[in-house]
Amino acid sequence: MTKLRYTYDEKLLSWEEQNDGEADVEFWLRLSVPDANVEKGVKAVRDYFDHNDVLTDVLFYAHHNAVYQWIVRRDFYEAFVIRAFEHKLLTSLVWE
């Protein structure tokens, strides 16, 4: 699997990737402070994957206190990370 290295605004949010080697990769986004642009980006990423033809590519969960969880099928890892970058949830993206 190709690995992408990315960065995010650590003052604004935390972004955690949990990869246990199984079929899915889990991402957690936690906002440090409310931010309308991040909320807009979260919704845009969710909407993109909700409206394609694959039902199980990315599962999205919104939790209390501006915490978001995505469970991403391994074969959609790159597409998800690129989409998060496109919507400015991530600030840089580099292929390893």
Side-chain angles (χ1 to χ4, degrees):
M1 176 175 94
T2 304
K3 180 72 173 167
L4 299 175
R5 183 179 307 196
Y6 48 80
T7 60
Y8 54 89
D9 184 346
E10 295 180 12
K11 294 178 184 173
L12 182 61
L13 58 92
S14 70
W15 181 276
E16 185 180 333
E17 178 179 333
Q18 298 175 349
N19 183 353
D20 62 4
E22 296 297 320
D24 300 324
V25 179
E26 194 170 333
F27 292 90
W28 289 85
L29 181 150
R30 292 172 176 83
L31 277 172
S32 302
V33 295
D35 186 278
N37 290 327
V38 172
E39 298 285 342
K40 183 179 175 182
V42 166
K43 290 177 183 175
V45 171
R46 181 195 64 206
D47 288 346
Y48 175 81
F49 289 102
D50 279 352
H51 292 97
N52 67 11
D53 293 337
V54 182
L55 297 176
T56 60
D57 52 357
V58 176
L59 303 176
F60 173 80
Y61 301 94
H63 300 280
H64 295 301
N65 300 323
V67 175
Y68 303 98
Q69 175 188 19
W70 291 277
I71 301 173
V72 179
R73 256 182 29 193
R74 185 165 303 283
D75 54 334
F76 282 90
Y77 175 87
E78 290 89 357
F80 174 78
V81 173
I82 291 168
R83 189 67 51 189
F85 176 71
E86 177 183 3
H87 291 288
K88 298 180 175 47
L89 300 177
L90 304 173
T91 56
S92 71
L93 183 60
V94 178
W95 296 93
E96 284 187 346

